[in-house]
Amino acid sequence: MTSATERSVPKPVFTDAEAGAKEFPDSTARRFNYYTPQKRKQTHYEDVTVEVQPDPRHYLAQGWLYGFSDGRGGYPLDWTALKAWGSDRPEPTRGPGSGGKGYDWPAHGWHEFRDPNEEWELSLYRYNANVVRQVGQNVEAARRSKAFEQWNPNWVRFVERHVGAWMHVDHGLGLYLFANANRRAPTNMHNNAISVNSMHRIRAAQDLALYGLTLSEEIADFDGSAHLDAWNSDPAWQGVRQAAERLTAVDDWCEAIFAANVIFEPLVGELFRSHLVQHAAPRNGDFVTPTIVGAEEYDFSERDLRYTKAMFELLTADREFAEHNTRILHGWLADWVPVSIAAARALQPLWSQPDAKPPRFEDALDSAKSRFSGIVTDLGLETPKELAQ
Amino acid sequence: MWTNSKFVATVGGATLEVVKRYVENQRVVHRILLPPRAWSQGLLGSYPMSRQSVARAHQKIQELSWEPMYHEPVSHYGTDYTFRKAQKKDPLKQVLRSYFPMQEEKDHRVYGASDGAIRGNMFRQVQERWLEWQKLFLSIIPLPEISAARAMPLLFRTVPNPELHNGQAIQMIDEVRHSTIQQNLKRLYMNNYIDPAGFNSSLRNFQNDYCGTIGRQFAEGFITGDAITAASIYLTIVAETAFTNTLFVAMPAEAAANGDYLLPTVFHSVQSDESRHISNGYATLLMALADEGNHQLLERDLRYAWWNNHRVVDAAIGTFIEYGTKDRRKDRESYAEMWRRWIYDDYYRSYLVPLEKYGLVIPHDLIEEAWNQIWNKGYVHEVAQFFATGWLANYWRIDPMTDKDFEWFEYKYPGWYDRYGKWWEQYNRLSTPNGHHPIVAEDVDYQYPHRCWVCMVPCLVREDMVMAEVNGQWRTYCHEACRWTDVEAFRPTYQGRQTPNMGQLIGAREWETLYHGWNWADVVSDMGFVRDDGKTLVAQPHLNLDPSKMWTLDHLRRMDPLLSPNVLLNEMTDEERNAFHAAYIAGGPAGRPARTDK
């Protein structure tokens, strides 16, 4: 008779280490106690986001430990010219016998920002997975129903060249403006929202690129590389390209976000997507392209613009620096509105290219300007005179 | 994690068969979630993925990048490395169309397990000894994760290869995932584990506690200084490729052995992203190696990054695994055995050594020295003893070791009892308040150590401590390699070469100095490590939650004030300081002061 040797595995042990098993100091203190929620109750989003990125002005007793070559570490507040209340308070000096405490939380107004989209990993993957699934299904359904055969030749040229060109704007801003800015802001709430914005743009760029790949397979004479020529040398696109490149050259992270999401996107992005592509496509037999471009439109109008407004509303209504911020933002409006208007006007020839025309360019631009004015007014800013250009 | 084959995980002594099943299961996930040919051929139903193969899709998205014609993108970060533009392929070949659903599916599994853990009353089987250390670990790790996200832009302008930027952007959002999913795990522990103290104040604690500060190097080292040193060598080549093995694979295995299967669930999900990040680092490293002018900097940075990661990660994870476990089966691997397998064999021999032929100067001496520290000099045991000495300045409870623990340590580390056994018996004796002070203020043959100015872990292996006068301050270092890091590496010139982009070590780097002359009760109050009755400490040197057995501020009030070893060192004359140094390095092991009867 043989006896089985017992396997060596950890043994379960009853420990009774679950909540409520005993009463003692702190036994019911089951919420994060180091920050004040924006509303009455702490949200799940706040719990996983707030205070992950520390600040020497409150709890960071020993200060930043690693600096750049100039000796500055962490996330300097002067990486933007805008200020939130408390920005001018000096960092507490720590030394022998100083103790570790800084100012009471939040120490300054930057920490009051909350992303109204409440983006964290669960929400961002659900949202974007849903988008790519839906986009994939739309394209697949169109392919199976031979929907691309309904496109007239001019519309094929339009999509391969001009819809394709927009992917470069998305990609460039997604990487070199938004992803770049995720290192620059002073709180985790800002930087996470900005990094999600970045992924929206990069995903939208890839959506368009892969759509182009499918069209190359489905439409016999679809030129999948025509977008490169448009982006590199078509005069209609050079205004947009100049604006996009200039946006990636901005040093101030707030200026970059503001110029992109408050000015460029309403005046150029929505103008191109909503007022040109979305209107022209159905008239030219294309019900597919609007579903792809529409996904990006929703990203911007319902999510990215939403957090951007919340971010800048705090700054224009700041209890200490509202006037300072408003003055700077008006300066940025004066700088960037002409750039965007010039880019928009350079696109005008595109309106005449499809066989079935969209509504007039001037009407579209008026509508985009009106939308832009509404956003600016909501932020407590004045519509710049440069808008009349 | 790097292995010479593929992602492998072990869970609490799982058999080879179980591991194989797990690996096969991972393959299935990737078959389902990456857009394979089978889907496009309609062989597996009507899953609505794109028809393109991954390779073709990836090739297509390379058309997205463009060279600026009108304005150069802003360049915020500098490097002393030089790169030639090269067509280095993006090793990830990841497109977002498949990436997002893949991550969503991984989330489903993680959150399903979380629900299951709560419904199945997992916390009735969780070892408190283990979960208490998670109050430290989970206070630290979300910041390194999010800092890795913030580090990616450092590479955009310094590594002139747009194809790699795609992978870096995906790593960025992976890291946002890791940071928030880990915060969520901590939130779940706070809500469901018996003692929420320390979890509920986690991020305040992390920021003002000296252990948190040690861990913070593992974040700040990614985001400042020379862009390549920080975001490539320190972060991806060393931290992610070598040390996530112990962080995210070895430690979850120990969690499972202690009744916690949520930590493995979350961290194996995290680890499955790391292979992408390792590929990012590898591609950048090969580009850097192509220019011989970089070899000197690579040698410097590998030495710094390796040694700092060893000092920080081995201190923390070694302690969690060896002193936070109740699993004392003699055939379970010790931290030293895990280290030998995961880091020495899989990282050093299989990953680093093959790079030597490309001109990479590998710090063989420091790798052997790290092993020497762990195996011969008791590095992990010295750290655990120090954490337990200073229990009152922390925010978790540290369980005393028992005879069963002693037996295991002696079996795994012969000679352990002679070095550390007596001290842990004293710790046990002094664990509940009974008219005596906390152990740090009692005579237990232990000399409170000086702090290493670089890695901020104290100078625990006494014989290795060195000193230097820098910027008018006498500093102590735990080892010559840390002195070198401060005095030679983090400088604007290195071996006669200008290195204007190299970062600086800054900050108030000795925690004790902030509280020099303070009463201990005021120290703990200032840090906020007090429970909701206003007097009971969050930290305790035992696991007994009977309030009458718990230490309070009143107990600390009777102690002598805290004195900063570094302040005292700087008050000494040269003669006194030399005598002090001679005595210090004659001390140990286990913190014993040098014998005066020699």
Side-chain angles (χ1 to χ4, degrees):
Chain A
M1 182 178 167
T2 56
S3 60
T5 51
E6 190 179 355
R7 287 202 308 130
S8 173
V9 289
K11 303 287 190 297
V13 179
F14 179 72
T15 59
D16 203 15
E18 66 181 345
K22 292 190 176 100
E23 282 187 27
F24 53 88
D26 252 20
S27 60
T28 58
R30 298 186 186 276
R31 66 175 191 85
F32 291 138
N33 60 21
Y34 47 80
Y35 76 92
T36 309
Q38 185 182 44
K39 295 177 182 167
R40 194 172 60 81
K41 286 182 69 175
Q42 290 168 317
T43 65
H44 202 146
Y45 153 75
E46 287 177 309
D47 276 354
V48 298
T49 311
V50 176
E51 204 54 26
V52 171
Q53 185 176 311
D55 189 331
R57 290 168 190 77
H58 38 81
Y59 304 133
L60 201 63
Q62 294 180 247
W64 297 111
L65 305 170
Y66 284 75
F68 289 102
S69 57
D70 62 359
R72 306 185 79 199
Y75 299 82
L77 297 185
D78 62 5
W79 278 356
T80 176
L82 300 185
K83 293 182 179 183
W85 65 263
S87 287
D88 285 350
R89 298 161 97 182
E91 284 187 23
T93 306
R94 273 89 177 215
S98 66
K101 272 183 118 172
Y103 304 114
D104 287 342
W105 201 92
H108 54 72
W110 289 105
H111 291 280
E112 292 178 345
F113 170 67
R114 298 290 185 276
D115 175 3
N117 303 315
E118 304 200 333
E119 292 281 23
W120 62 296
E121 67 104 15
L122 199 63
S123 64
L124 85 89
Y125 286 110
R126 277 183 185 164
Y127 173 81
N128 284 289
N130 281 340
V131 171
V132 296
R133 260 194 300 270
Q134 190 64 58
V135 166
Q137 286 166 351
N138 293 347
V139 174
E140 183 64 14
R143 191 185 63 81
R144 290 187 182 187
S145 64
K146 309 288 183 198
F148 305 118
E149 292 176 5
Q150 299 172 38
W151 292 13
N152 63 54
N154 252 352
W155 185 248
V156 172
R157 300 287 84 78
F158 185 90
V159 171
E160 70 186 13
R161 192 167 178 82
H162 301 303
V163 175
W166 187 257
M167 70 174 85
H168 298 291
V169 180
D170 285 328
H171 182 77
L173 298 187
L175 265 177
Y176 303 115
L177 188 152
F178 290 105
N180 185 58
N182 110 100
R183 171 68 185 89
R184 310 296 291 175
T187 83
N188 203 42
M189 291 78 79
H190 290 88
N191 286 329
N192 276 8
I194 291 167
S195 60
V196 171
N197 191 161
S198 160
M199 294 316 287
H200 288 159
R201 299 303 294 255
I202 297 171
R203 192 216 71 232
Q206 294 190 5
D207 287 346
L208 287 175
L210 298 181
Y211 180 47
L213 187 58
T214 298
L215 295 177
S216 299
E217 294 167 349
E218 297 297 320
I219 301 174
D221 61 343
F222 188 90
D223 180 355
S225 62
H227 63 96
L228 293 168
D229 181 60
W231 182 245
N232 288 330
S233 53
D234 190 329
W237 281 100
Q238 297 316 297
V240 174
R241 180 161 183 164
Q242 286 194 36
E245 289 191 12
R246 193 170 157 191
L247 282 166
T248 67
V250 175
D251 180 74
D252 183 308
W253 68 270
C254 269
E255 181 180 358
I257 303 288
F258 183 80
N261 280 352
V262 175
I263 304 171
F264 178 80
E265 274 302 305
L267 289 177
V268 181
E270 290 188 328
L271 175 78
F272 174 74
R273 293 188 301 261
S274 282
H275 294 287
L276 176 56
V277 179
Q278 305 288 65
H279 277 96
R283 300 168 194 220
N284 288 279
D286 176 7
F287 64 84
V288 190
T289 305
T291 69
I292 294 150
V293 172
E296 181 182 1
E297 203 66 305
Y298 190 89
D299 291 343
F300 172 69
S301 63
E302 299 303 320
R303 298 186 86 82
D304 298 333
L305 180 61
R306 197 162 166 236
Y307 90 79
T308 305
K309 285 171 75 172
M311 195 172 107
F312 287 101
E313 276 167 359
L314 269 179
L315 295 165
T316 55
D318 186 83
R319 70 189 196 215
E320 188 179 351
F321 291 112
E323 191 182 325
H324 166 92
N325 293 335
T326 302
R327 189 175 66 250
I328 289 172
L329 289 167
H330 280 139
W332 290 345
L333 285 169
D335 286 345
W336 286 100
V337 165
V339 172
S340 293
I341 294 289
R345 289 207 173 276
L347 285 173
Q348 183 168 3
L350 270 54
W351 264 251
S352 60
Q353 293 196 10
D355 290 342
K357 303 286 184 287
R360 291 174 58 243
F361 171 80
E362 287 300 337
D363 292 341
L365 185 60
D366 283 349
S367 182
K369 286 180 175 179
S370 172
R371 154 96 160 147
F372 164 76
S373 296
I375 294 167
V376 168
T377 306
D378 286 348
L379 289 174
L381 300 170
E382 291 172 15
T383 305
K385 64 180 187 316
E386 290 81 2
L387 192 63
Q389 291 175 359
Chain B
M1 182 196 80
W2 169 266
T3 78
N4 51 8
S5 51
K6 61 178 99 55
F7 176 76
V8 177
T10 59
V11 181
T15 62
L16 185 61
E17 188 187 342
V18 171
V19 173
K20 281 180 178 168
R21 268 209 307 274
Y22 177 81
V23 172
E24 181 56 28
N25 192 27
Q26 292 295 109
R27 289 189 187 129
V28 169
V29 173
H30 283 254
R31 272 209 298 275
I32 293 169
L33 297 168
L34 297 174
R37 188 176 303 274
W39 290 115
S40 67
Q41 292 171 341
L43 302 175
L44 298 172
S46 57
Y47 189 77
M49 292 295 293
S50 103
R51 297 178 66 246
Q52 294 91 33
S53 69
V54 176
R56 291 188 62 221
H58 187 263
Q59 189 178 358
K60 180 68 182 178
I61 66 171
Q62 299 318 310
E63 292 175 9
L64 290 166
S65 63
W66 38 274
E67 291 290 328
M69 287 167 48
Y70 304 101
H71 303 277
E72 284 293 319
V74 65
S75 180
H76 294 299
Y77 315 104
T79 182
D80 298 321
Y81 284 78
T82 51
F83 290 91
R84 294 193 205 101
K85 289 197 174 178
Q87 283 303 309
K88 194 81 209 151
K89 295 295 182 193
D90 171 10
L92 305 190
K93 297 242 183 302
Q94 188 88 61
V95 290
L96 296 180
R97 184 175 288 187
S98 59
Y99 169 79
F100 285 125
M102 178 180 73
Q103 299 296 71
E104 187 193 38
E105 169 64 18
K106 283 158 63 178
D107 273 1
H108 285 326
R109 295 172 180 218
V110 167
Y111 290 97
S114 301
D115 280 355
I118 294 166
R119 292 173 189 166
N121 300 314
M122 182 188 85
F123 290 91
R124 288 181 193 168
Q125 296 175 39
V126 165
Q127 292 290 351
E128 290 183 58
R129 174 187 281 184
W130 174 261
L131 219 62
E132 288 296 319
W133 283 103
Q134 293 308 308
K135 292 177 179 174
L136 173 58
F137 178 62
L138 287 174
S139 74
I140 295 174
I141 197 67
L143 179 66
E145 296 284 12
I146 209 65
S147 299
R150 311 304 180 227
M152 290 301 104
L154 271 67
L155 300 171
F156 289 164
R157 293 285 288 146
T158 49
V159 182
N161 185 340
E163 193 165 335
L164 294 188
H165 300 168
N166 180 53
Q168 288 153 1
I170 288 179
Q171 176 165 356
M172 175 192 74
I173 207 68
D174 275 347
E175 307 289 8
V176 172
R177 170 175 193 255
H178 300 173
S179 177
T180 51
I181 206 171
Q182 291 160 6
Q183 274 289 113
N184 189 60
L185 176 66
K186 179 167 62 185
R187 184 176 183 269
L188 186 147
Y189 285 160
M190 175 181 72
N191 283 325
N192 295 284
Y193 170 62
I194 188 168
D195 183 13
F199 283 130
N200 54 17
S201 46
S202 176
L203 290 178
R204 174 182 176 173
N205 303 342
F206 162 61
Q207 295 181 30
N208 63 13
D209 167 80
Y210 70 81
C211 293
T213 303
I214 293 169
R216 196 144 51 80
Q217 296 170 90
F218 200 65
E220 290 190 42
F222 307 163
I223 58 167
T224 51
D226 186 299
I228 301 301
T229 307
S232 186
I233 309 301
Y234 189 95
L235 168 58
T236 52
I237 301 298
V238 178
E240 292 186 302
T241 309
F243 285 90
T244 56
N245 287 348
T246 54
L247 275 167
F248 298 161
V249 182
M251 203 178 73
E254 208 52 47
N258 283 276
D260 174 11
Y261 60 77
L262 277 186
L263 192 94
T265 301
V266 170
F267 278 84
H268 285 172
S269 188
V270 166
Q271 185 69 2
S272 66
D273 294 332
E274 296 293 342
S275 57
R276 283 199 296 277
H277 308 170
I278 290 165
S279 302
N280 273 340
Y282 192 73
T284 307
L285 177 63
L286 291 182
M287 280 187 75
L289 278 167
D291 189 333
E292 282 198 14
N294 294 326
H295 290 194
Q296 184 185 24
L297 300 178
L298 283 168
E299 181 183 2
R300 177 198 66 184
D301 290 345
L302 260 186
R303 292 186 74 78
Y304 143 65
W306 165 265
W307 187 254
N308 189 264
N309 271 270
H310 150 66
R311 279 330 229 189
V312 173
V313 179
D314 288 333
I317 308 302
T319 299
F320 302 159
I321 286 180
E322 301 297 53
Y323 289 83
T325 188
K326 293 290 278 186
D327 181 13
R328 295 306 185 191
R329 288 173 300 126
K330 288 184 179 163
D331 58 353
R332 86 119 166 123
E333 281 187 325
S334 67
Y335 185 73
E337 290 167 313
M338 295 176 191
W339 196 96
R340 193 75 190 178
R341 180 155 69 100
W342 296 112
I343 296 185
Y344 193 90
D345 289 341
D346 281 348
Y347 173 70
Y348 170 50
R349 295 178 59 192
S350 301
Y351 173 87
L352 271 188
V353 170
L355 289 167
E356 211 161 24
K357 62 177 176 285
Y358 298 110
L360 187 67
V361 179
I362 295 168
H364 299 288
D365 58 328
L366 289 184
I367 289 165
E368 297 297 342
E369 176 59 12
W371 172 246
N372 183 40
Q373 293 278 322
I374 289 170
W375 186 243
N376 296 314
K377 296 193 174 184
Y379 183 65
V380 169
H381 308 299
E382 298 278 343
V383 171
Q385 182 191 18
F386 176 73
F387 281 163
T389 293
W391 67 261
L392 67 171
N394 293 325
Y395 46 93
W396 61 94
R397 298 177 291 143
I398 300 178
D399 192 18
M401 297 295 106
T402 66
D403 287 347
K404 192 174 176 186
D405 300 313
F406 288 2
E407 187 184 340
W408 186 87
F409 278 119
E410 189 61 31
Y411 179 77
K412 290 291 185 182
Y413 299 96
W416 181 90
Y417 183 83
D418 283 346
R419 289 180 170 191
Y420 307 102
K422 290 286 183 216
W423 187 90
W424 279 102
E425 286 168 359
Q426 297 275 30
Y427 180 86
N428 202 352
R429 180 177 67 81
L430 297 168
S431 62
T432 50
N434 189 21
H436 54 78
H437 294 308
I439 193 168
V440 68
E442 292 287 337
D443 181 8
V444 290
D445 204 19
Y446 186 85
Q447 180 185 13
Y448 192 87
H450 278 245
R451 200 161 282 274
C452 177
W453 200 84
V454 170
C455 71
M456 293 176 287
V457 180
C459 309
L460 296 169
V461 179
R462 311 285 161 143
E463 68 203 63
D464 292 336
M465 191 269 266
V466 291
M467 301 191 301
E469 187 178 18
V470 182
N471 300 337
Q473 178 196 21
W474 277 97
R475 296 172 177 172
T476 49
Y477 305 94
C478 68
H479 191 276
E480 165 58 22
C482 275
R483 186 206 64 81
W484 169 86
T485 301
D486 180 26
V487 178
E488 298 182 41
F490 272 75
R491 297 288 151 183
T493 58
Y494 178 69
Q495 296 179 344
R497 171 186 184 151
Q498 297 295 307
T499 51
N501 289 295
M502 191 59 178
Q504 291 188 27
L505 303 179
I506 57 174
R509 300 179 78 91
E510 311 105 19
W511 171 82
E512 291 85 352
T513 296
L514 302 185
Y515 293 105
H516 183 65
W518 282 46
N519 182 277
W520 275 98
D522 295 331
V523 173
V524 173
S525 296
D526 190 62
M527 293 192 294
F529 301 168
V530 183
R531 292 171 187 256
D532 62 5
D533 63 351
K535 63 174 187 176
T536 304
L537 307 189
V538 172
Q540 299 291 329
H542 58 73
L543 298 180
N544 192 338
L545 287 167
D546 177 350
S548 70
K549 306 291 185 193
M550 297 171 81
W551 292 78
T552 68
L553 291 175
D554 296 337
H555 296 114
L556 305 193
R557 191 74 62 193
R558 302 190 297 251
M559 297 168 66
D560 287 338
L562 188 162
L563 296 176
S564 161
N566 187 265
V567 169
L568 300 179
L569 181 75
N570 278 278
E571 288 173 354
M572 292 177 188
T573 64
D574 289 349
E575 198 173 56
E576 289 169 334
R577 196 162 39 249
N578 290 336
F580 151 78
H581 183 247
Y584 194 91
I585 62 176
R592 291 177 195 134
R595 289 175 58 181
T596 54
D597 58 350
K598 280 182 183 172

